[in-house]
């Protein structure tokens, strides 16, 4: 097409001028249609702003051609400089579009705002030229180009030069090929303007060269869109997306590096308990490769007992939506190596806020745990002997020195209550004649109302003393238990609840009981096991901050160990990690201020151990406590 235009320019300048303008108009509108049709996919608002300008550049160029070839088409008398004014308006919009493209590169701008801006600017210029006819004169026949034309060319050249400088500084925001084509378009426009400015200064009409430069500028913009926006869309239209993808990939690699080099065991599970991701420390702990863990559940990796513990913990986290922090757990590797860890299990949610699974963090404390167990094993017998010796001495003294005077209180308090009741008529009669009558330094009516409460307090206090002494005796007693009878654990629970229904009702409205009717019997002492359930339920109730919190009691068979499990879970205040090691020690209590003796769990632990069972605690401050007792089945 350029070759054809060159041949035409050799024979007919007017025809060449018309054909060159028509070709540039077609290119301008092609640029607009291309960028506007793809605006939903173009992630470059500056490019949309540039493309929108070409719609009006082409329209004004069309008016310029019509004014040049058929000036009589316009409603006013023909003006010699009408086509020159329209040409200058088109050049001004083109230069401004290039400058704004460079300035707005990387910024957000709605497409319709840019389209409205160019429409307003074009209509304003056309109104100045055609309607109000106040646009400065550009060319005067017989005289030549006006100073306004000269300074306009200078301003347009400075604008294009500024565009080049700004675009070069922001070149990293664009694809290399696109950047080259846009720079070439700006250079061609700058050369065309400089050539026109030269002709204006020389006071001659332009040659065909400026038309070729204008066409080249339009073609470069068009090719930039075609080559980079259609042939290679991901290098231009999705340039920011590609950059974000690269940044996300780098971030992912960095996070994976941290994930695998972290000394803690880290894993992620879905809602069904299947492993989605594990780190290097986790694989080393269980002696398995990642591909053998991903997609598996705990039952596929760990022994049944440990796997069940993990599954129950996960289910509790998913059901409650609350994290479990600071759990001390056992794990067994594929080679049978036993280890210990302090574990945190957290809920993770999807984008809609729904619970999607769990994330776990565990610190391997096997070496520390083994050292503690060795130390504990070495000191256990000595500590137990010293404790029992001290308690035996203490209990003997307390039982003798406290019980006898306390029995006097218990026996004599009812007698004093009868004496008071028999004395009331005499006192009432005396008070009727002597209203100012005082008793123990207090007005008689006030003392009369308080005496009953005083006797009740004395009676309750003496019974509490008796109960504390009984607990001390029970803790220190060394007589063997009768473990030869078969006991149904569900019956033990029912007997305990018979005594505690009022206590439970006073502390919670959400008591739940889940008793497995098919559990086997255990060998043990029925009354002692009732005492275990009573102690644990009282502790659970006292831990609740309000009556809306739950207490759950459940029994079930543990086929893996061949035993029976009693589990009591409360939603109470929980136990601080530093207290978990001490809660079964005698006289240790966090409730001394409300009358706690610190003997309940000590006695409970002794009874469970005497039944060859074990008791486990799982607790965290603010998250409640779960006490699990394992007893061997009678069979």
């Amino acid at each position: 097409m350029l070759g054809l235009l060159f041949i035409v320019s050799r024979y007919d300048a007017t025809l060449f001028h018309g054909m060159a303008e028509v070709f540039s108009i077609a290119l301008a509108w092609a640029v607009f249609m291309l960028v506007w049709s793809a605006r939903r996919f173009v992630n470059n608002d500056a490019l949309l702003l540039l493309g929108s300008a070409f719609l009006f550049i082409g329209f004004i160029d069309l008016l310029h051609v019509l004014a040049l070839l058929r000036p009589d088409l316009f409603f006013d008398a023909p003006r010699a400089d009408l086509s020159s004014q329209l040409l200058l308006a088109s050049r001004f919009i083109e230069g401004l579009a290039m400058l704004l493209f460079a300035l707005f590169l990387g910024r957000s701008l709605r497409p319709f705002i840019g389209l409205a801006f160019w429409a307003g600017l074009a209509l304003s210029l056309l109104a100045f030229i055609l309607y109000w006819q106040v646009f400065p004169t550009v060319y005067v026949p017989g005289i030549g180009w006006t100073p306004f034309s000269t300074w306009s060319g200078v301003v347009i050249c400075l604008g294009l030069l500024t565009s080049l400088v700004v675009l070069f500084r922001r070149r990293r925001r664009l694809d290399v090929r696109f950047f080259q084509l846009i720079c070439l378009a700006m250079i061609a426009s700058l050369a065309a303007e400089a050539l026109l400015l030269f002709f204006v200064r020389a006071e001659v009409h332009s040659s065909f060269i400026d038309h070729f430069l204008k066409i080249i500028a339009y073609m470069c913009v068009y090719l930039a869109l075609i080559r980079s926006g259609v042939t290679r869309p991901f290098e231009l239209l999705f340039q920011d997306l590609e950059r974000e993808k690269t940044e996300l990939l780098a971030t992912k690699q960095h996070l994976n590096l941290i994930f695998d080099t972290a000394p803690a065991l880290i894993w992620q599970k879905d809602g069904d308990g299947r492993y989605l991701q594990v780190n290097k420390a986790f694989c080393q702990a269980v002696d398995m490769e990642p591909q053998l863990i991903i997609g598996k559940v705990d039952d596929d990796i760990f022994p049944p007992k440990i796997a069940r513990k993990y599954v129950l913990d996960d289910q509790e986290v998913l059901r409650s939506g609350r994290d479990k922090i600071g759990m001390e757990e056992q794990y067994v590797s594929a080679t049978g190596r036993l280890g210990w860890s302090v574990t945190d299990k957290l809920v993770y949610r999807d984008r809609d806020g729904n619970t999607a699974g769990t994330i776990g963090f565990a610190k391997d404390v096997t070496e520390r745990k083994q050292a503690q167990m060795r130390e504990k094993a070495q000191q256990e017998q000595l500590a137990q002997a010293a404790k029992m010796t001290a308690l035996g001495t203490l209990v003997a003294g307390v039982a003798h020195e406290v019980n006898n005077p306390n029995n006097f209180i218990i026996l004599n308090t009812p007698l004093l209550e009868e004496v008071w009741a028999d004395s009331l008529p005499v006192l009432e009669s005396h008070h009727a004649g002597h209203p100012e009558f005082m008793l123990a330094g207090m007005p008689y009516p006030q003392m009369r109302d308080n005496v009953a409460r005083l006797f009740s307090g004395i009676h309750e206090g003496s019974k509490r003393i008796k109960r504390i002494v009984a607990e001390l005796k029970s803790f220190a007693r060394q007589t063997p238990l009768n473990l030869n009878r078969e006991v149904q654990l569900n019956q033990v629970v029912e007997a305990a609840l018979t005594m505690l229904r009022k206590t439970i009702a006073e502390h919670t409205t959400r008591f739940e009981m889940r008793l497995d009717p098919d559990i086997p019997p255990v060998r043990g002492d029925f009354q002692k096991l009732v005492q275990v359930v009573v102690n644990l339920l009282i502790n659970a109730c006292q831990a609740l901050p309000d009556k809306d919190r739950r207490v759950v009691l459940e029994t079930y068979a543990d086929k893996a160990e061949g035993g029976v499990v009693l589990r009591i879970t409360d939603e109470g205040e929980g136990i601080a990690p530093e207290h978990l090691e001490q809660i079964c020690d005698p006289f240790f209590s966090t409730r001394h201020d409300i009358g706690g003796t610190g003997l309940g769990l000590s006695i409970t632990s002794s009874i469970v151990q005497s039944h060859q069972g074990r008791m486990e605690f799982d607790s965290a401050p603010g998250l409640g406590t779960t006490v699990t007792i394992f007893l061997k089945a009678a069979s």
Side-chain angles (χ1 to χ4, degrees), residues 43-118:
N43 195 21
N44 188 333
D45 293 342
L47 184 60
L48 291 174
L49 183 66
L50 176 63
S52 301
F54 275 87
L55 171 65
F56 303 98
I57 292 173
F59 179 69
I60 295 177
D61 280 346
L62 177 61
L63 295 179
H64 161 68
V65 174
L66 293 176
L68 181 66
L69 300 179
R70 294 288 304 277
D72 57 313
L73 292 176
F74 294 89
F75 53 84
D76 285 333
R79 301 197 305 273
D81 67 335
L82 178 59
S83 63
S84 300
Q85 289 176 329
L86 293 170
L87 177 61
L88 182 59
S90 173
R91 289 159 49 199
F92 174 74
I93 294 178
E94 180 187 355
L96 181 62
M98 294 290 186
L99 178 61
L100 293 181
F101 169 76
L103 293 176
F104 278 89
L105 191 61
R107 298 183 181 181
S108 178
L109 182 68
R110 293 187 179 182
F112 286 96
I113 293 178
L115 191 65
F117 171 76
W118 294 123

Side-chain angles (χ1 to χ4, degrees), residues 605-625:
S605 178
S606 297
I607 295 173
V608 172
Q609 290 177 8
S610 66
H611 284 74
Q612 297 182 352
R614 72 178 189 276
M615 182 166 59
E616 296 180 355
F617 292 85
D618 185 6
S619 181
L623 300 179
T625 302

Side-chain angles (χ1 to χ4, degrees), residues 306-335:
I306 296 178
R308 179 175 176 80
K309 173 68 166 56
Y310 293 168
V311 170
L312 291 176
D313 288 338
D314 290 343
Q315 290 176 350
E316 182 178 349
V317 170
L318 293 172
R319 183 175 61 252
S320 66
R322 296 185 299 180
D323 303 335
K324 299 192 70 175
I325 308 298
M327 299 180 294
E328 190 173 84
E329 297 180 324
Q330 279 185 309
Y331 68 85
V332 178
S333 68
T335 59

